[in-house]
Amino acid sequence: LARALIAEPDLLLLDEPTYHLDLPAIAWLEEELGAMRAAMVIISHDRRFLATLSRAMAWIDRGRTRRLEKGFAHFEAWRDEVLEQEEVEAHKLDRKVVREEHWLRHGVSARRKRNVRRLSDLHELRRQRRERVAPQGAPRMSSFDAGGSGTLVIAATGISKSFGGEAVVRDFSTRVMRGDRVGIVGPNGAGKTTLLRMLTGELAPDSGEVAIGTGLSMVTLDQKREGLEPSATLGEVLTGGRGDQVHVGGQPRHVLSYMKDFLFAPELARMPVSALSGGERGRLLLARALARPSNLLVLDEPTNDLDVETLDLLQEILAEYAGTAIVVSHDRDFLDRVATSVVAAEGGGRWQDYAGGYSDMVAQRGRGVEAKAARAPERGAPATPAAAPAQPPRASKA
């Protein structure tokens, strides 16, 4: 990004520029791009990023590109109108085909030119209906409740954790109740995953105590996609390598039927994981995770690589989920739509719990998530020259 911006281009092409960026870096990038005079073409699934910067939208759908002369804030309503109009036109076409087939059975006379032409028109209508491409279905996600947990899911009291003398979590306390949707935010390196692992009992704190509630059945989605064996096929990942059945909520389903719910064509069942795109791997992990009975979902960067339609469905699932969810994410729009509370890094290993989504947290704090402060040099290490600037120069001005 620095190399692209420093050139001060007339045309800037950005393909998923926010991927792997933390919230401070995304905010910085938005400010930099907003101040530039260059024309830009941006591919992104970060809805807040697009809403901030876009002035027109190009929508690629079923081999066709449509353009909207407005920003992303207007896109979703426009897209829904287009799809609804398509459904109306498809219904009219189906009714016309039925009328023409009725005429064909009861009134055709092949020797009359007008009837021959009408028969030709009927064949054309049938061809149109046959070749009509329906909108790609949305993933039909569903999560399966493993039964109610206790009212108190997690209670952390004064927990702390340090690595190499640096405090990552310092004297943090919180209570997670059944049905909560907790978001964890902070810059890269702040310790979000460390805090998450302590809250779920995977990592012991240096001091303090974490009490895990009763009756918990936890399903975890890790941010590194490490749970997928590259040589395994999609079918093997979903079935555990046993037959062609997926046990979804304790009920058997054929793997091809379950794959279809997540937009995987049947012919992909034998494709190795290594051949999948990042978005397809994300969908596959979600398909596997949501098939398991649970009452605690732990999602570490679940929105990485997901398209807008899959994001929408994941949000609906979390909204309807009967259990508890803890989510680490840099997606501001996703947190606003999902989270009931946000735990934010305050710096120096301090963490604070705020009610509401990301925007509510910003309103209460008076600021968003800041970049992680540089670690102070150890004693005896060379001091930073006094002439050095406290902050790096703006890339576009360098």
Side-chain angles (χ1 to χ4, degrees):
L1 283 172
R3 183 171 63 179
L5 297 178
I6 204 171
E8 298 185 353
D10 296 316
L11 175 62
L12 189 59
L13 307 177
L14 299 172
D15 191 355
E16 297 287 359
T18 64
Y19 189 53
H20 287 311
L21 295 188
D22 59 10
L23 285 166
I26 293 172
W28 166 82
L29 182 60
E30 284 180 352
E31 182 181 354
E32 288 290 324
L33 296 180
M36 292 181 68
R37 300 181 63 184
M40 302 176 198
V41 179
I42 302 172
I43 298 174
S44 181
H45 297 309
D46 188 323
R47 290 174 290 198
R48 187 68 54 83
F49 186 78
L50 287 176
T52 300
L53 294 172
S54 62
R55 299 177 184 173
M57 295 296 300
W59 177 31
I60 303 174
D61 177 52
R62 291 164 285 159
R64 180 180 178 185
T65 302
R66 299 176 175 88
R67 183 179 171 105
L68 173 67
E69 299 301 331
K70 295 180 180 179
F72 184 80
H74 304 274
F75 168 75
E76 291 177 303
W78 169 73
R79 176 199 61 191
D80 293 343
E81 289 179 3
V82 170
L83 295 178
E84 287 174 5
Q85 183 60 34
E86 283 189 357
E87 290 182 2
V88 170
E89 293 174 356
H91 181 65
K92 289 180 179 179
L93 177 61
D94 290 342
R95 291 178 60 188
K96 188 172 183 179
V97 169
V98 169
R99 288 198 304 269
E100 293 301 304
E101 288 178 338
H102 180 271
W103 164 83
L104 177 62
R105 288 192 298 269
H106 300 287
V108 66
S109 174
R111 295 185 178 278
R112 296 183 181 179
K113 289 184 178 180
R114 64 183 180 86
N115 286 344
V116 171
R117 181 176 178 179
R118 193 171 180 182
L119 183 59
S120 176
D121 290 343
L122 172 60
H123 291 319
E124 176 64 18
L125 286 172
R126 287 174 171 170
R127 183 193 64 78
Q128 290 178 22
R129 186 167 67 171
R130 184 172 61 252
E131 296 179 358
R132 185 177 69 226
V133 180
Q136 186 182 35
R140 293 190 293 276
M141 295 186 193
S142 58
S143 57
F144 296 91
D145 191 4
S149 63
T151 302
L152 179 63
V153 177
I154 298 170
T157 306
I159 59 173
S160 298
K161 191 72 178 179
S162 298
F163 294 100
E166 182 179 4
V168 177
V169 179
R170 179 180 297 169
D171 194 27
F172 175 66
S173 299
T174 190
R175 292 164 65 89
V176 179
M177 311 302 289
R178 184 175 60 210
D180 285 351
R181 309 286 186 267
V182 181
I184 300 178
V185 300
N188 288 340
K192 298 185 297 297
T193 301
T194 298
L195 176 59
L196 183 66
R197 293 176 64 200
M198 286 198 292
L199 291 177
T200 56
E202 183 181 348
L203 179 66
D206 294 337
S207 61
E209 182 181 5
V210 176
I212 305 296
T214 60
L216 285 183
S217 179
M218 182 171 63
V219 166
T220 302
L221 177 67
D222 68 88
Q223 62 171 314
K224 297 180 180 179
R225 312 296 194 244
E226 292 177 343
L228 296 176
E229 173 61 42
S231 61
T233 66
L234 273 73
E236 291 170 343
V237 169
L238 293 175
T239 63
R242 300 183 295 272
D244 57 2
Q245 300 290 316
V246 183
H247 287 273
V248 182
Q251 299 297 320
R253 282 189 62 185
H254 196 278
V255 65
L256 298 184
S257 171
Y258 188 63
M259 284 175 54
K260 188 177 179 181
D261 289 352
F262 290 83
L263 302 184
F264 290 113
E267 56 267 24
L268 300 182
R270 298 186 180 276
M271 177 179 287
V273 168
S274 59
L276 298 179
S277 69
E280 289 170 331
R281 292 188 186 202
R283 259 190 285 140
L284 180 59
L285 279 169
L286 283 172
R288 187 178 66 176
L290 294 176
R292 300 171 180 170
S294 69
N295 49 36
L296 175 60
L297 282 176
V298 179
L299 308 176
D300 196 353
E301 296 288 357
T303 64
N304 282 353
D305 286 323
L306 296 186
D307 56 28
V308 173
E309 287 76 16
T310 310
L311 277 173
D312 288 340
L313 264 294
L314 178 57
Q315 287 161 187
E316 291 180 12
I317 290 298
L318 290 177
E320 299 173 0
Y321 184 55
T324 307
I326 304 177
V327 181
V328 176
S329 181
H330 294 302
D331 190 322
R332 297 159 293 176
D333 186 86
F334 180 78
L335 290 171
D336 274 346
R337 300 186 189 210
V338 166
T340 58
S341 65
V342 170
V343 176
E346 301 288 333
R350 298 186 308 275
W351 296 80
Q352 181 64 45
D353 202 344
Y354 296 92
Y358 182 81
S359 297
D360 298 307
M361 182 272 292
V362 172
Q364 294 171 65
R365 280 181 99 214
R367 63 192 188 283
V369 175
E370 296 107 341
K372 183 183 177 183
R375 184 178 179 181
E378 298 179 2
R379 290 185 179 181
T384 303
Q391 298 290 334
R394 289 167 62 92
S396 59
K397 303 298 183 184

